[in-house]
Amino acid sequence: MSGSPRERQLSTTVLVIGTGGAGLRAAIEVAEQGVDVLAVGKRPRHDAHTALAAGGINAALGTMDAGDSWQQHAADTIKESYFLAHPRTVEIVTRGAERGIRDLERYGMEFAREADGRISQRFFGAHTFRRTAFAGDYTGLEIQRALVRRTEQLGIPILDSMYVTRILVRDNIVFGAYGFDLRDGTRYVIHADAVILAAGGHTRIWRRTSSRRDENTGDAFRLAVEAGARLRDPELVQFHPSGIIEPESAAGTLISEAARGEGGILRNALGERFMQKYDPERMELSTRDRVALAAYTEIKEGRGTEKGGVWLDVSHLPRETITTRLPRVYQTMLEVQMLDITADPIEVAPTAHYSMGGVWVRPEDHGTGVDGLYAIGEASSGLHGANRLGGNSLIELLVFGRIVGRAAVAHSAGLDAQRRSADAVAQARAEIDDLLAADGPENVRALQRAIRDTMTEHAGVVRDETGLKTGLAELERIEARMSDVGVHPDIAGFQDLAHAFDLKASALSARATLEAALERRETRGCHNRSDYPELDPALRVNLVWSPATGVVREEIPPVPDEIAGLIREVSTEGKLVE
């Protein structure tokens, strides 16, 4: 192998891809079972996307409202999903939520508490009761810190600059993964009995997004699909109502829902409090899809600010409330815009925030249908349907991190042998070799930007048949250009190679999203079709996508009576207000 790159071989029982909250919680569970685990991530663990989650984490603890129950939490989740959530998944998360919170306490997480020591809980949009526990508006960061501390106590090995390019499979059974080190290009063959995919969603394929550069480019979707798994509801993407507009480098950075929870007011450029038109009852505390659509409509109809946004104002609140309840928002705006939110409003616009669909998984153990391959967190699907409740994603990672860690251990224990395939490894190796040899005229970054422009233009907050078809035609042209890229690793490392893989992931995710959005000819939750403004009862199904089959419909089981009885009707009022 002289002259060829270094390749190292590692072995572990369970491999976790992704070192955000979901990945670390799964790794902790495996280690606590006394089993070997290795976690790998493409960015430093302290800087994982989970650290950006601001508002809080949901569990029906009943500390503030004794009437709350897991059943009511489940009912709220299913109602807000517009009945696309899988009832079994919802039940597992809401029943397991309190246990998830207790686990965090066990890892030393500091929650905000009432004077008598109870965990404080606040209202979040569309919850029946106060059930969102928090730590200031730094909840995700505190959770990530607690999980990192626990992995350190357990001595879990974590490789921080590893880019996984392929999951290794033989006869539909996983036997590991292949990847390279982002700094020096060293290749890795990692043999593992089970692989847990926790590498996030695909919101980076829009121009304005709450994800940072080079994360959430759809890596998990591509890895899963190329291993033989499928995607469910990729078109269901949550646009958060309030992302900042500038500076360009920070566009899309979120202003937490907590700002509205504490009494923030939305106004258009004319100074009108426009939520009165769209949801007079809940106003700014309406659901994310409605507030985002309302802001989008105001901007589209010419009542937006010069820069294409609306105003979010908290300046009428007591200064102390802002600095103690919204410290992160206060700090961020001072840093990025020199804006004092105690005195001035914040200019915001809808921003791609969360992939509510993702890899198709079974509710019970989040298995993907490829033996030994599991998906969790934003990479997976089943809980959120067409609208995610704020605070549900953080609890989901804790509940399923625990369950999937156990499932992976059980899968490994049940294997007679780990059957490998030299062919699969050779293919993974060749894929990298071919890219490194690529010396075409096309620039990877420019093509990524082209995908973002296409998705923003044709598959944003509001969609229609013509736009989606145009988007697919544009994507085809981009895909054709992708065969002519040039990849040039440099003295700074192998980032360029990583971007080329990000581009592949983004193109696959964009295709899945556009094809499913075309098929969903209705308006439901986050998915607004201006040419089909009504809910279609026949589309109360999940859309499952793979390159081989395209989009197929999958029935959703009925909601159990004890939950169904607590659901109030979903109204579409205030949705597409013409």
Side-chain angles (χ1 to χ4, degrees):
M1 282 185 63
S2 64
S4 59
R6 285 194 314 149
E7 188 174 273
R8 293 191 52 194
Q9 192 169 303
L10 300 174
S11 253
T12 184
T13 305
V14 179
L15 171 66
V16 178
I17 302 171
T19 52
L24 294 186
R25 178 64 189 89
I28 288 166
E29 194 61 35
V30 175
E32 287 185 345
Q33 302 280 313
V35 172
D36 254 6
V37 60
L38 168 67
V40 301
K42 67 176 184 179
R43 65 186 311 135
R45 67 202 81 166
H46 286 286
D47 190 33
H49 191 66
T50 304
L52 297 184
I57 178 166
N58 300 336
L61 304 175
T63 57
M64 312 294 278
D65 296 312
D68 204 5
S69 63
W70 72 261
Q71 290 95 332
Q72 187 62 60
H73 184 187
D76 292 354
T77 300
I78 289 170
K79 171 183 186 254
E80 286 312 328
S81 80
Y82 290 77
F83 295 95
L84 296 188
H86 195 295
R88 186 79 190 100
T89 305
V90 174
E91 182 177 337
I92 290 168
V93 170
T94 52
R95 267 179 184 263
E98 181 162 358
R99 171 81 187 258
I101 299 281
R102 301 294 166 230
D103 283 340
L104 283 178
E105 288 185 294
R106 182 162 62 89
Y107 308 149
M109 161 115 181
E110 297 284 342
F111 284 102
R113 293 183 185 269
E114 296 295 299
D116 61 5
R118 288 173 294 158
I119 288 182
S120 291
Q121 297 197 284
R122 60 179 165 206
F123 270 122
F124 244 37
H127 288 278
T128 304
F129 293 107
R130 288 175 288 181
R131 68 166 72 97
T132 304
F134 58 96
D137 56 357
Y138 286 91
T139 312
L141 186 61
E142 286 303 326
I143 290 174
Q144 186 69 10
R145 283 179 180 156
L147 293 171
V148 168
R149 271 198 309 272
R150 184 68 185 135
T151 59
E152 285 163 358
Q153 288 166 2
L154 292 164
I156 295 172
I158 299 178
L159 297 177
D160 267 338
S161 60
M162 161 83 84
Y163 194 107
V164 175
T165 58
R166 189 164 281 223
I167 288 167
L168 300 171
V169 180
R170 170 178 172 166
D171 300 334
N172 202 45
I173 303 170
V174 158
F175 70 91
Y178 194 87
F180 65 93
D181 185 298
L182 283 159
R183 292 164 304 198
D184 62 14
T186 302
R187 311 279 183 89
Y188 283 88
V189 182
I190 304 172
H191 289 131
D193 290 349
V195 175
I196 298 174
L197 196 47
H202 69 316
T203 51
R204 195 71 190 122
I205 68 175
W206 281 268
R207 205 161 43 212
R208 198 180 280 141
T209 163
S210 57
S211 299
R212 291 152 312 180
R213 278 170 74 118
D214 310 322
E215 70 179 9
N216 288 323
T217 47
D219 310 11
F221 295 5
R222 182 185 73 88
L223 288 170
V225 165
E226 293 192 348
R230 299 166 302 153
L231 302 180
R232 174 165 52 197
D233 297 335
E235 80 285 8
L236 300 179
V237 174
Q238 182 164 69
F239 284 82
H240 194 290
S242 51
I244 64 174
I245 294 178
E246 51 175 20
E248 187 58 49
S249 59
T253 300
L254 285 197
I255 299 304
S256 166
E257 194 160 309
R260 300 199 311 281
E262 294 296 339
I265 288 173
L266 286 165
R267 300 186 197 279
N268 61 21
L270 309 174
E272 298 163 341
R273 189 174 178 181
F274 59 83
M275 282 311 295
Q276 282 169 331
K277 244 188 323 199
Y278 301 90
D279 192 342
E281 208 173 298
R282 294 184 289 190
M283 303 283 277
E284 284 83 6
L285 286 180
S286 184
T287 58
R288 285 183 179 179
D289 61 317
R290 287 196 186 178
V291 182
L293 180 64
Y296 173 88
T297 307
E298 291 296 305
I299 295 161
K300 200 78 174 163
E301 292 179 357
R303 294 184 294 280
T305 60
E306 261 174 51
K307 294 180 180 124
V310 293
W311 298 110
L312 171 58
D313 194 5
V314 293
S315 63
H316 55 285
L317 300 174
R319 186 181 179 89
E320 191 196 0
T321 301
I322 293 173
T323 53
T324 57
R325 310 281 284 200
L326 304 167
R328 188 175 193 160
V329 176
Y330 178 70
Q331 201 56 45
T332 302
M333 293 316 293
L334 271 180
E335 280 167 21
V336 301
Q337 289 181 10
M338 294 289 289
L339 181 80
D340 177 0
I341 64 167
T342 63
D344 294 302
I346 311 161
E347 199 170 359
V348 296
T351 182
H353 174 51
Y354 191 90
S355 305
M356 293 181 293
V359 179
W360 181 96
V361 288
R362 291 186 293 266
E364 291 70 31
D365 63 354
H366 273 215
T368 58
V370 179
D371 277 355
L373 177 62
Y374 303 86
I376 48 174
E378 197 174 351
S380 68
S381 62
L383 178 63
H384 308 295
N387 191 38
R388 174 173 78 81
L389 279 180
N392 264 1
S393 52
L394 289 175
I395 196 63
E396 176 189 20
L397 7 138
L398 290 159
V399 174
F400 275 113
R402 175 173 169 271
I403 290 170
V404 169
R406 292 179 170 231
V409 169
H411 169 80
S412 167
L415 290 176
D416 295 330
Q418 188 194 83
R419 304 192 43 160
R420 300 171 184 169
S421 154
D423 269 3
V425 177
Q427 273 180 326
R429 195 178 287 134
E431 187 178 29
I432 293 182
D433 290 339
D434 291 349
L435 274 174
L436 286 175
D439 200 19
E442 293 286 358
N443 177 296
V444 168
R445 281 298 205 200
L447 291 175
Q448 279 182 320
R449 200 159 34 242
I451 289 178
R452 288 206 292 272
D453 287 345
T454 293
M455 295 304 287
T456 302
E457 203 52 49
H458 304 298
V461 178
V462 176
R463 305 153 175 191
D464 65 35
E465 196 93 4
T466 316
L468 292 166
K469 285 183 169 158
T470 307
L472 278 164
E474 281 179 20
L475 183 63
E476 245 153 62
R477 290 195 287 276
I478 294 167
E479 287 167 337
R481 291 168 59 194
M482 280 167 57
S483 52
D484 283 331
V485 295
V487 173
H488 312 287
D490 58 27
I491 196 156
F494 282 72
Q495 291 295 340
D496 209 32
L497 178 60
H499 299 329
F501 278 103
D502 285 347
L503 175 62
K504 285 181 177 222
S506 295
L508 177 139
S509 303
R511 174 164 291 285
T513 304
L514 289 165
E515 289 182 2
L518 197 55
E519 182 71 16
R520 191 172 284 289
R521 292 179 175 88
E522 65 163 352
T523 287
R524 186 185 288 266
C526 65
H527 179 71
N528 296 291
R529 284 284 300 257
S530 56
D531 46 353
Y532 293 95
E534 302 299 321
L535 259 182
D536 180 355
L539 278 163
R540 186 176 159 178
V541 292
N542 294 131
L543 298 180
V544 180
W545 180 91
S546 76
T549 59
V551 179
V552 294
R553 296 181 177 199
E554 183 177 73
E555 291 302 317
I556 300 167
V559 179
D561 291 344
E562 64 174 326
I563 296 169
L566 297 168
I567 297 177
R568 298 186 311 283
E569 223 17 73
V570 175
S571 95
T572 51
E573 218 181 309
K575 283 293 288 168
L576 278 167
V577 179
E578 294 307 328

